[in-house]
Amino acid sequence: IGTARLIRACPLNPRQWGFISASGCSENLKLLQLLVKCTKQEHRDLGVVFVDIAKAFGTVCHQHIIAGLIQSGVDSHMVHLVSEMYRNTTTFTK
């Protein structure tokens, strides 16, 4: 229920594959292969940029996440639930 409400308020880009249950990696690789193939057939230049944002979610200040939810129009009950998930949380490494 929470995921459905958040997705309605904060829709994901169709190319976004993180945090969803889908085999996005293979679909994105097929898309890249098709793009390369078409580019070669048409003798065109192609530039590709890969951005690795691994663990990016963990580096965002929790207050910014909450502010983004509010700004996106997420209902106050959902904002409260997300806020509670972050209350008194800590991270440590060995």
Side-chain angles (χ1 to χ4, degrees):
I1 294 170
T3 300
R5 287 183 181 182
L6 286 172
I7 288 175
R8 275 196 304 270
C10 307
L12 297 175
N13 183 291
R15 300 273 33 108
Q16 167 67 35
W17 291 108
F19 309 110
I20 62 171
S21 57
S23 59
C25 187
S26 62
E27 185 173 328
N28 281 343
L29 285 174
K30 288 178 185 176
L31 179 62
L32 179 60
Q33 287 174 328
L34 179 64
L35 184 61
V36 170
K37 180 181 176 183
C38 290
T39 302
K40 284 182 177 182
Q41 287 174 345
E42 297 173 9
H43 303 288
R44 302 179 103 196
D45 292 333
L46 174 66
V48 179
V49 176
F50 294 92
V51 179
D52 182 5
I53 55 171
K55 307 226 186 267
F57 187 74
T59 63
V60 177
C61 172
H62 296 165
Q63 288 305 105
H64 287 115
I65 294 170
I66 302 305
L69 292 173
I70 293 168
Q71 186 177 17
S72 296
V74 174
D75 66 85
S76 60
H77 179 68
M78 284 302 301
V79 172
H80 177 73
L81 290 175
V82 173
S83 296
E84 288 299 304
M85 289 189 320
Y86 287 120
R87 191 161 47 122
N88 297 324
T89 58
T90 58
T91 303
F92 67 93
T93 59
K94 284 185 169 185

